[in-house]
């Protein structure tokens, strides 16, 4: 929202303040129309960009003629023909505030309702997750850096292990032949011993 507003509000502090105001209004709209704050805020953002359909369900109508006329009323252009994109965005914002004025303060006034308590809890959970993510970010960066350093070592180990396995497989045949030969020799020795006992 801040990035969108900074496109036509040049003063950074004014854009930041307007972002807060617009978010609060979106919260009020969400409270009245029983939807989520991000949903209402997305509709507001779309309306500022010129997409009027999403915000209609919140009771806001933004046709081109009304937008141009409001821009002239605000002194942003001398005539409706001279209204540009930036002037239209400012006019849409003003019309949004005007047409949603009836919702102002509803979120605070009905904060005890189950729906708004759930929205507040959801927002707090999102804030908590963001804070946890920020706290863990340095550790994750260190872990990723360490993983990047260890990866070549594991690759080298894998190559060496593959070589050892290959050499071991090559020795299996001769070792098996030797074991079989020793077993045969042992078997023959037992036969000779048993034959000698029979003769005695």
């Amino acid at each position: 929202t801040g990035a969108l507003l900074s496109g036509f509000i040049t003063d950074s502090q004014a854009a930041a303040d307007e972002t807060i105001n617009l978010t609060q209004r979106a919260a009020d709209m969400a409270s009245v129309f029983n939807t989520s704050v991000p949903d209402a805020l997305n509709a507001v953002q779309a309306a500022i960009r010129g997409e009027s359909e999403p915000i209609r369900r919140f009771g806001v109508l933004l046709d081109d003629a009304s937008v141009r006329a409001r821009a002239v009323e605000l002194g942003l252009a001398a005539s409706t023909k001279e209204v540009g994109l930036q002037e239209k965005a400012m006019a849409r914002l003003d019309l949004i505030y005007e047409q949603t004025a009836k919702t102002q303060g509803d979120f605070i006034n009905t904060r005890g309702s189950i729906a708004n308590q759930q929205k507040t809890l959801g927002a707090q959970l999102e804030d908590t997750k963001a804070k946890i993510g920020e706290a863990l970010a340095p550790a994750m960066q260190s872990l990723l850096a360490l993983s990047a350093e260890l990866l070549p070592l594991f690759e080298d180990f894998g190559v060496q292990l593959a070589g050892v396995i290959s050499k071991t497989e090559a020795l299996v045949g001769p070792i098996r032949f030797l074991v079989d030969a020793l077993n045969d020799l042992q078997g023959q020795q037992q036969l000779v011993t048993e034959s000698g006992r029979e003769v005695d």
Side-chain angles (χ1 to χ4, degrees), residues 93-114:
L93 183 60
D94 191 69
L95 286 168
I96 290 168
Y97 278 127
E98 180 183 83
Q99 295 184 33
T100 60
K102 58 185 178 293
T103 68
Q104 186 175 7
D106 190 82
F107 188 87
I108 295 297
N109 295 337
T110 59
R111 63 183 176 273
S113 68
I114 293 175

Side-chain angles (χ1 to χ4, degrees), residues 28-54:
D28 292 330
M29 291 164 58
S31 177
V32 170
F33 289 90
N34 195 27
T35 187
S36 68
V37 177
D39 186 31
L41 196 55
N42 286 337
V44 169
Q45 291 171 350
I48 293 171
R49 291 193 301 266
E51 303 167 29
S52 60
E53 191 60 35

Side-chain angles (χ1 to χ4, degrees), residues 5 8-9 18 22 48 89-97:
L5 293 176
F8 57 89
I9 301 177
E18 201 61 57
L22 202 56
I48 293 171
M90 291 289 290
R92 290 188 195 108
L93 183 60
D94 191 69
L95 286 168
I96 290 168
Y97 278 127

Side-chain angles (χ1 to χ4, degrees), residues 13-180:
Q13 186 58 53
D17 293 340
E18 201 61 57
T19 300
I20 295 170
N21 294 335
L22 202 56
T23 304
Q24 290 173 341
R25 183 57 59 89
D28 292 330
M29 291 164 58
S31 177
V32 170
F33 289 90
N34 195 27
T35 187
S36 68
V37 177
D39 186 31
L41 196 55
N42 286 337
V44 169
Q45 291 171 350
I48 293 171
R49 291 193 301 266
E51 303 167 29
S52 60
E53 191 60 35
I55 205 168
R56 282 192 181 186
R57 61 193 181 95
F58 295 97
V60 178
L61 300 175
L62 298 173
D63 61 276
D64 189 63
S66 298
V67 171
R68 288 177 179 275
R70 181 53 56 93
V72 174
E73 288 176 25
L74 294 172
L76 302 174
S79 69
T80 55
K81 292 182 179 180
E82 297 177 11
V83 177
L85 294 176
Q86 199 166 8
E87 291 78 20
K88 283 184 179 181
M90 291 289 290
R92 290 188 195 108
L93 183 60
D94 191 69
L95 286 168
I96 290 168
Y97 278 127
E98 180 183 83
Q99 295 184 33
T100 60
K102 58 185 178 293
T103 68
Q104 186 175 7
D106 190 82
F107 188 87
I108 295 297
N109 295 337
T110 59
R111 63 183 176 273
S113 68
I114 293 175
N116 282 350
Q117 285 181 357
Q118 289 175 334
K119 290 171 188 172
T120 302
L121 179 60
Q124 289 172 341
L125 288 174
E126 289 298 321
D127 288 345
T128 301
K129 287 194 290 186
K131 289 176 182 176
I132 292 173
E134 289 175 3
L136 292 177
M140 287 300 296
Q141 288 177 344
S142 299
L143 182 60
L144 289 172
L146 180 61
S147 300
E149 292 177 8
L150 291 177
L151 189 59
L153 297 178
F154 281 115
E155 290 177 350
D156 290 343
F157 176 74
V159 172
Q160 293 177 7
L161 182 61
V164 170
I165 292 172
S166 178
K167 291 177 181 177
T168 303
E169 288 176 346
L171 291 173
V172 167
I175 291 173
R176 183 173 294 155
F177 175 79
L178 181 61
V179 169
D180 291 343

